[in-house]
Amino acid sequence: EDLGMRHRLWVYSGRRGVHCWVCDDAVRKWSPALRAAAVEYLTLVKPLPPPPQALGQRGGGVFRGVRAGGPGRPGHPRELGQGAGPRPGGYPSRAHREPLRGEFPKKRDSVQRWDLLKGRMERTRRAGGAGRSAACYADWEIMLQYCFPRLDINVSKGVGHLLKSPFSVHPKTGRVSVPLDLQRLDQFDPFAVPTI
């Protein structure tokens, strides 16, 4: 909607993904650079710099995190349907992290740990950042990190990937790429699609 795309067809890829075929005439004529810019605009989970405590350590690794945008951007409260949104980038402060580290081992399972984290983060937001620590959105950032769709820039910007059209066969699984009915998405079974 933010990019003015009106005619969309959602298609199961035949493997792990979902393709959104944008059928607007103007969008179909976009250059690879415009396509890449659209993916960049829609990408919410991006690599972040390492947290301060990791600087100077050997080994390194990829640090990923959530960078939320402002109004009209994915991750903004309008898109999340909530009253507040995650802060742009960063890591939970020591004031939030240390108490949780002590409490997590006392919890029986991941559900209890999640409830603890959510409760603590909600309290920081209700307090409005008053007092010693600022409002924290670590719970939202975790949900977005693991639940927000990943966009494949190469599939989106390269017109050569248009060969993966609806009703084509995925070369590794043999499954047919079929359109999705968004009204009945919860009934879709990727293992029941036709195969060759």
Side-chain angles (χ1 to χ4, degrees):
E1 291 174 0
D2 285 355
L3 299 174
M5 298 172 182
R6 295 181 52 226
H7 304 288
R8 299 176 303 271
L9 174 65
W10 295 90
V11 181
Y12 167 61
S13 71
R15 190 174 185 192
R16 297 179 302 197
V18 173
H19 296 240
C20 179
W21 282 82
V22 179
C23 304
D24 296 48
D25 190 49
V27 175
R28 288 188 298 121
K29 296 174 182 170
W30 280 5
S31 69
L34 274 175
R35 292 167 184 266
V39 172
E40 173 67 23
Y41 174 80
L42 295 170
T43 298
L44 183 62
V45 179
K46 299 180 180 182
L48 290 175
Q53 66 271 20
L55 294 175
Q57 294 180 2
R58 301 179 102 196
V62 177
F63 293 89
R64 297 187 63 79
V66 175
R67 287 188 178 163
R73 286 293 314 260
H76 187 266
R78 178 173 66 84
E79 285 74 18
L80 295 173
Q82 300 289 333
R87 59 184 166 65
Y91 298 89
S93 70
R94 180 169 288 192
H96 299 299
R97 203 172 43 247
E98 295 303 323
L100 288 169
R101 236 182 234 157
E103 292 290 326
F104 272 14
K106 299 175 186 173
K107 299 301 176 185
R108 187 178 62 229
D109 56 27
S110 60
V111 173
Q112 288 185 352
R113 289 178 183 141
W114 178 250
D115 289 341
L116 173 67
L117 174 70
K118 265 183 29 181
R120 293 274 173 91
M121 298 305 102
E122 286 170 3
R123 278 198 300 257
T124 71
R125 294 190 290 269
R126 276 196 305 269
R132 288 181 38 212
S133 59
C136 187
Y137 295 92
D139 53 337
W140 288 36
E141 292 175 7
I142 291 168
M143 286 189 291
L144 291 170
Q145 171 74 28
Y146 290 101
C147 300
F148 198 80
R150 302 296 190 272
L151 302 175
D152 187 329
I153 193 165
N154 294 323
V155 168
S156 301
K157 76 175 184 180
V159 293
H161 284 283
L162 297 177
L163 298 173
K164 296 178 181 175
S165 62
F167 304 108
S168 62
V169 176
H170 192 283
K172 293 185 179 171
T173 65
R175 293 191 194 113
V176 176
S177 175
V178 295
L180 296 170
D181 180 352
L182 297 183
Q183 302 303 316
R184 298 176 26 185
L185 194 57
D186 58 336
Q187 299 168 25
F188 177 72
D189 180 2
F191 300 109
V193 302
T195 60
I196 58 166

